[in-house]
Amino acid sequence: FGSNAEPGSSSSSSSSSPSSSSSSSASSATRPRSANEQARRSTAAAREQQQVDLLRTLLTSYFEIVRANVRDLTPKIVMKQLVAQTQTSMQQTLVSELYRESEFSFLLQESADAVAAREEASQKLAAVEQARKILNLAVFRNFQ
């Protein structure tokens, strides 16, 4: 055990010293890059977090607006449906009452006032037609 570990450790220490010096110089050259990259990543992460927060706020506001609209429109829609059903029901009832065959003769009867007005109008029409005939004869005789 001890003899195997020593040569490996001595060879690794001897081989690691040149590479450790080159890796330390490489790591010092990459450290500013990694710091810049880390700063960019943190800036990008902060920007992404702001966008996520903004999106979350916008979605929350949108769903609150939708919820308020649904809350406001639900009673209106229910009332509209109730009114429409009542209207349909009333119309069906009134039409069925109106079109009862037993009531046709009563509904189609002319009232006494309408009969008197119609007869008076027909008498006046007959008098006006007779007056027109008389005037036409008088005008015709005057031209001959």
Side-chain angles (χ1 to χ4, degrees):
F1 281 120
S3 63
N4 285 342
E6 290 231 352
S9 66
S10 66
S11 66
S12 70
S13 65
S14 64
S15 65
S16 69
S17 5
S19 66
S20 71
S21 64
S22 65
S23 69
S24 66
S25 65
S27 67
S28 66
T30 58
R31 276 190 188 155
R33 287 184 187 164
S34 66
N36 286 341
E37 286 177 21
Q38 198 172 33
R40 282 187 213 140
R41 286 181 185 167
S42 66
T43 305
R47 198 174 323 126
E48 286 176 2
Q49 186 60 42
Q50 285 176 342
Q51 290 175 350
V52 167
D53 291 341
L54 177 65
L55 187 60
R56 181 175 289 128
T57 303
L58 290 173
L59 285 172
T60 302
S61 298
Y62 173 76
F63 282 118
E64 286 175 5
I65 290 169
V66 169
R67 189 177 304 130
N69 284 342
V70 168
R71 193 175 342 140
D72 290 344
L73 290 177
T74 300
K76 293 176 185 175
I77 292 171
V78 168
M79 287 303 293
K80 180 187 176 291
Q81 292 297 326
L82 288 174
V83 167
Q85 287 176 354
T86 304
Q87 180 183 8
T88 303
S89 173
M90 288 178 70
Q91 184 177 8
Q92 289 173 350
T93 302
L94 290 173
V95 167
S96 67
E97 288 290 319
L98 184 64
Y99 289 117
R100 281 188 285 171
E101 287 190 36
S102 62
E103 300 284 324
F104 276 173
S105 61
F106 172 73
L107 292 173
L108 294 175
Q109 281 181 350
E110 214 173 7
S111 70
D113 295 336
V115 170
R118 184 175 46 80
E119 287 176 0
E120 184 180 341
S122 73
Q123 287 173 0
K124 287 180 181 179
L125 178 65
V128 167
E129 285 179 357
Q130 187 158 359
R132 185 180 56 92
K133 285 180 186 178
I134 293 170
L135 287 173
N136 282 339
L137 281 174
V139 169
F140 182 68
R141 287 187 183 163
N142 285 338
F143 283 117
Q144 287 183 349

